[in-house]
Amino acid sequence: MRYGGEGRTRLLLIILIVTALFLITLDLRGVAVLDGARQGTQTILSPFQKAGNFILTPVKNFVTDVTHLGRTRNQIEKLRADNAKLKADLINRKNADAQLKQLESILDLAGTAGYKVVNAKVISQGSSQSFSQTVTIDIGSNAGIKKNMTVLSQTGIAGVVKDVFPTTALVMLATDPSFKIGVRIAGTQQIGILSGRGSRSGSLQLLDNLTTVKVGDVLLARGSVANRPFVPGVPVGYVTAVDNSAGEIAQSGTVRYYTNFGGLGVLAVVVAASSTNPGDALVPPKPTPTPIPTVTVYVTPSPYPTE
C-alpha cells in the first residue's frame, strides 16, 4: 500500500510538471492561454490593491510631511529673519534720510549767518523722572564743545550746552521751564525775555512798556556777551497770542518755537559766531497759503417749462 501511494504521488507530480512546462511553452509562443487567469487574478486582487492604496497613501504623506517638517520650519524661520532685517533696513534708511535733511538745513542756516558749527547726533533723551528737558549728543570736549554754547536745530534755537564730557554733552532744550533767552522782534530792536514752559510754546515778557507786540511777529535771539550762551540772529519762534491785561507793566504773549523738539535727530553746536551780527538774515520765509480750489457751476435752462 505504501509503495502504491508513493507511485501515485510521483505520477501526479510528473503530470503537474509536464502541464506547467506545456503551458509555459504555449505562453511563450503567444498563445493566450494564461490571460484569462491573469485577468481573473487582477480582478480579484484589484479591490484589495485599491483599499491598500487608500489606507497607505495618508501614511506615506504623513511620513513625507514629517521628513520635510524640520526643513520647512527652518525655511519659515529664515524668511522671518529676512523680513525683520528688511524692515530694520527700511527704518534705518528712513531715519538716515531724515537726519540728512536736518543736517542740510542746519548747514544752510549756519552758513547764512556765518556760524562755525560742529554737527552732532542725539543719542538719548533726558530722564522722564526729572523736570528737566534735555538730550545727550555724541560730541564733547574732545571736539571743542564747552558749556554755555548755543545749540541749533534745522529751523532755529534748540537749546544750550549745560554739561560737557570728553565724548558727549548734555543739552538743555528751550522747552525746559528753567530755560531763558533774550529775544528781539525781527525788524525792530524791541526786546524781551522768552522762557520755556515744558512744551513747544514759550512765554514772552517784553521789557519796555512802550513796546508793542502782535500775533505773527518773529522773534530772534538777541545775543549774549561774548556770544555765550547765545549767538545773535538765531530764529526762535513767532508770536501766537498777546496778553494786553490792564495793569501790566509791559505786554506779554505766547510764542511757538520753530524747532520741533519731538523729532530731534541731528543738532549743531555753535563753536564760533560771525564777526558781524547777521541781523534779520535768518528770518524764515512766511508760509505760502494753499489756494482754495474754486468750482464753477453752469446751469443750462430746460427747453420745457416745469410746473
Side-chain angles (χ1 to χ4, degrees):
M1 294 295 291
R2 183 179 58 184
Y3 295 107
E6 291 178 355
R8 285 194 297 272
T9 301
R10 290 195 185 114
L11 179 60
L12 180 60
L13 180 59
I14 293 171
I15 293 172
L16 290 175
I17 292 173
V18 173
T19 302
L21 292 173
F22 178 72
L23 292 174
I24 291 172
T25 302
L26 291 178
D27 186 64
L28 292 175
R29 291 182 177 183
V31 180
V33 177
L34 301 177
D35 288 348
R38 289 174 181 170
Q39 292 176 358
T41 303
Q42 291 178 355
T43 302
I44 295 172
L45 296 178
S46 178
F48 296 99
Q49 292 175 347
K50 291 181 179 179
N53 290 333
F54 179 78
I55 296 172
L56 293 177
T57 297
V59 177
K60 292 179 181 178
N61 293 338
F62 174 76
V63 173
T64 302
D65 291 342
V66 171
T67 303
H68 294 288
L69 182 59
R71 186 185 307 170
T72 302
R73 286 180 176 175
N74 291 337
Q75 290 175 348
I76 292 174
E77 291 301 325
K78 185 177 183 302
L79 289 174
R80 287 177 177 173
D82 292 343
N83 188 39
K85 184 177 183 302
L86 289 174
K87 287 183 178 180
D89 291 342
L90 181 60
I91 293 174
N92 291 335
R93 177 60 185 272
K94 289 182 178 179
N95 290 338
D97 290 343
Q99 291 179 357
L100 179 60
K101 186 176 180 180
Q102 291 181 17
L103 179 59
E104 290 175 347
S105 299
I106 290 174
L107 294 179
D108 288 341
L109 186 71
T112 301
Y115 303 143
K116 181 180 178 181
V117 299
V118 178
N119 304 322
K121 287 184 179 181
V122 175
I123 57 177
S124 68
Q125 300 285 336
S127 173
S128 60
Q129 297 178 353
S130 65
F131 292 100
S132 62
Q133 298 191 12
T134 61
V135 295
T136 301
I137 55 178
D138 64 348
I139 56 174
S141 58
N142 292 345
I145 307 304
K146 299 178 181 179
K147 292 181 64 173
N148 294 327
M149 283 185 168
T150 306
V151 181
L152 305 177
S153 71
Q154 61 179 333
T155 52
I157 196 72
V160 61
V161 177
K162 295 304 293 181
D163 288 304
V164 181
F165 309 96
T167 58
T168 61
L170 187 68
V171 177
M172 176 191 288
L173 299 178
T175 54
D176 192 279
S178 61
F179 179 89
K180 296 184 183 299
I181 182 174
V183 295
R184 68 176 180 85
I185 301 174
T188 71
Q189 293 301 319
Q190 299 171 347
I191 60 175
I193 300 295
L194 181 67
S195 304
R197 58 183 188 183
S199 66
R200 194 172 173 178
S201 295
S203 298
L204 174 66
Q205 181 65 56
L206 297 178
L207 300 182
D208 187 351
N209 59 357
L210 300 178
T211 298
T212 57
V213 63
K214 60 184 182 296
V215 173
D217 281 345
V218 174
L219 300 181
L220 303 173
R222 184 172 179 269
S224 308
V225 176
N227 298 317
R228 301 270 291 275
F230 301 108
V231 294
V234 180
V236 176
Y238 57 93
V239 178
T240 57
V242 177
D243 184 6
N244 293 317
S245 300
E248 293 290 337
I249 298 177
Q251 280 187 313
S252 60
T254 302
V255 174
R256 174 79 167 178
Y257 287 110
Y258 285 121
T259 297
N260 177 13
F261 297 94
L264 297 178
V266 177
L267 298 174
V269 180
V270 181
V271 294
S274 173
S275 56
T276 60
N277 191 319
D280 294 345
L282 302 182
V283 173
K286 292 184 178 180
T288 303
T290 303
I292 301 175
T294 58
V295 179
T296 304
V297 179
Y298 297 94
V299 179
T300 302
S302 174
Y304 302 100
T306 57
E307 295 181 0

